[in-house]
């Protein structure tokens, strides 16, 4: 048995593979480094979102608005999404964890888990996405009582190339959201040593509760901002 | 390198030491000696325990040396604690005293 910590064979853990970094990054990074990179990613994602007027208005929500909003509002939404899920999972972790866990590990890994949303925000910058969205918005009748146009009519008003970009952007956003959910689970599993079916059920429940909490917090922020 | 067997290859029961021999004077001691708890851990767990002691019990230092995150090392330690606790529970099963009616 090798007992020398300076020997290379001391490092008996497998080196991280590309798939490992993509889907289990928290095996190798957590705590303050993850917190720093994660917070920077959240801020950049919110800024890029503001360029296409895209709001991450809930832990799992992404909506593009025709109305503009100040940059601070986009940044606050990103922070609320991150902290809502992190603190709900921290409460669940305190109930499930076999031993104590460090809050900074959960906060850091939850922040970093949101990085796929940066890809989603970039995808929504595609010009075809905003042009298609504008065309679709224009085709909605101003009078709510009027019957909406048929899908065939809607498609006629949109350039096929723009429509392809629109569909591509939505697909990337959908995959990015799924990736974020998987990473957030990995963050919870590793930071709180959560295992088994009970942990999975707790995570799903935590996602739902955090979604409600974040929606309520963002609604409160809107009311405060409008005053 | 030879690995100390801790389980019977025939029935998977716990093995124990029945003979110890002095390498200098060749004196032999016969008896029934149970293996210490640490030797009954898997080789990986034994290595982790040794590294943990060499790192002065610092999980941060272990994480740095192993190139993994702090919670990964902490979870590995939890597994080790669980393995040792299971051994202790097997060694001393809870006694259920039956009160005579």
């Amino acid at each position: 048995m090798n007992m020398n910590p300076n020997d290379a064979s001391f490092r008996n853990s497998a080196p991280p593979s590309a798939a490992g970094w993509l889907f289990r990054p928290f095996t190798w990074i957590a705590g303050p480094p993850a917190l720093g990179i994660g917070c920077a990613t959240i801020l950049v994602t919110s800024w890029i979102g503001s360029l296409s007027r895209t709001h991450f208005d809930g832990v799992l929500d992404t909506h593009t608005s025709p109305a503009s909003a100040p940059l601070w509002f986009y940044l606050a939404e990103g922070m609320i999404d991150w902290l809502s899920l992190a603190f709900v999972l921290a409460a669940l972790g305190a109930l499930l964890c076999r031993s104590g866990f460090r809050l900074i590990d959960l906060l850091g890994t939850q922040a970093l888990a949101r990085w796929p949303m940066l890809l989603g925000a970039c995808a929504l910058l595609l010009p075809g996405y905003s042009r298609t969205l504008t065309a679709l918005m224009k085709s909605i009748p101003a009078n709510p009582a009027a019957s909406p146009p048929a899908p065939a009519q809607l498609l006629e008003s949109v350039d096929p190339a723009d429509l392809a970009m629109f569909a591509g952007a939505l697909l990337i956003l959908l995959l990015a959201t799924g990736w974020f959910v998987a990473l957030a689970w990995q963050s919870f599993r590793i930071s709180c040593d959560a295992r088994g079916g009970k942990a999975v059920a707790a995570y799903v429940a935590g996602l739902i509760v955090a979604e409600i909490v974040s929606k309520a917090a963002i609604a409160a922020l809107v009311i405060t901002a409008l005053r | 390198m030879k690995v100390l067997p801790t389980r019977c290859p025939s029935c998977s029961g716990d093995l124990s030491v029945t003979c110890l021999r002095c390498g200098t004077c060749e004196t032999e001691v016969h008896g029934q000696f149970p293996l210490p708890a640490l030797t009954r851990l898997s080789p990986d767990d034994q290595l982790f325990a040794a590294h943990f002691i060499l790192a002065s019990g610092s999980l941060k230092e272990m994480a740095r040396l192993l190139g993994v995150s702090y919670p990964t090392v902490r979870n590995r330690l939890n597994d080790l604690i669980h393995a040792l606790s299971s051994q202790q529970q097997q060694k001393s099963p809870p006694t259920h005293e039956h009160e005579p009616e």
Side-chain angles (χ1 to χ4, degrees):
Chain A
M1 190 189 295
N2 168 43
M3 294 288 193
N4 182 6
N6 297 319
D7 194 297
S9 59
F10 181 87
R11 296 163 176 83
N12 60 350
S13 58
S17 61
W21 271 116
L22 291 177
F23 299 106
R24 294 180 294 110
F26 312 124
T27 304
W28 301 282
I29 185 168
L35 185 65
I37 300 168
C39 283
T41 309
I42 290 171
L43 295 178
V44 172
T45 304
S46 301
W47 172 67
I48 292 176
S50 72
L51 300 178
S52 62
R53 292 176 178 173
T54 298
H55 295 264
F56 295 95
D57 53 342
V59 170
L60 298 169
D61 287 70
T62 306
H63 292 106
T64 302
S65 165
S68 61
L71 179 61
W72 70 263
F73 189 80
Y74 292 94
L75 301 178
E77 282 178 325
M79 290 290 154
I80 287 171
D81 295 342
W82 160 50
L83 292 173
S84 300
L85 187 57
F87 280 111
V88 168
L89 292 180
L92 291 169
L95 295 173
L96 290 175
C97 191
R98 291 189 293 175
S99 60
F101 68 91
R102 299 192 313 177
L103 186 60
I104 193 158
D105 286 327
L106 189 61
L107 286 173
T109 54
Q110 281 296 321
L112 195 52
R114 294 198 70 83
W115 89 263
M117 301 311 287
L118 178 61
L119 300 178
C122 290
L124 300 188
L125 283 178
L126 286 170
Y129 172 78
S130 56
R131 283 199 293 262
T132 305
L133 206 61
T134 307
L136 292 176
M137 292 293 283
K138 276 182 185 168
S139 63
I140 296 172
N143 180 10
S147 59
Q153 275 181 302
L154 280 176
L155 293 177
E156 277 173 13
S157 61
V158 181
D159 179 36
D162 283 352
L163 195 62
M165 267 196 264
F166 181 77
L170 289 185
L171 183 65
I172 291 169
L173 181 65
L174 192 68
L175 291 174
T177 306
W179 192 355
F180 150 64
V181 170
L183 285 180
W185 158 248
Q186 287 294 328
S187 153
F188 178 54
R189 187 181 69 79
I190 291 179
S191 300
C192 302
D193 198 12
R195 301 172 192 208
K198 200 189 279 185
V200 175
Y203 174 66
V204 173
L207 264 182
I208 295 167
V209 171
E211 171 71 11
I212 295 166
V213 168
S214 62
K215 283 297 220 187
I218 290 168
L221 189 71
V222 170
I223 292 165
T224 311
L226 289 176
R227 270 181 194 165
Chain B
M1 192 179 114
K2 286 183 184 176
V3 177
L4 178 71
T6 57
R7 291 270 171 191
C8 170
S10 176
C11 71
S12 299
D14 285 341
L15 292 175
S16 59
V17 177
T18 56
C19 179
L20 294 160
R21 184 167 174 270
C22 172
T24 311
C25 71
E26 299 188 351
T27 298
E28 287 188 354
V29 180
H30 289 262
Q32 187 80 17
F33 309 103
L35 289 170
L38 285 174
T39 60
R40 280 186 275 137
L41 294 172
S42 70
D44 276 354
D45 283 348
Q46 288 182 37
L47 193 63
F48 182 87
H51 292 159
F52 184 64
I53 294 163
L54 286 171
S56 304
S58 166
L59 292 178
K60 276 185 188 170
E61 183 65 7
M62 287 280 285
R64 191 186 67 77
L65 289 166
L66 295 171
V68 295
S69 66
Y70 177 93
T72 302
V73 179
R74 174 72 232 187
N75 296 348
R76 186 82 173 78
L77 182 64
N78 284 346
D79 291 341
L80 191 60
I81 292 167
H82 180 72
L84 283 170
S85 303
S86 300
Q87 278 189 22
Q88 281 197 332
Q89 280 174 358
Q90 282 173 2
K91 204 173 164 184
S92 54
T95 53
H96 298 285
E97 287 181 11
H98 184 73
E99 291 289 329
E101 292 179 14

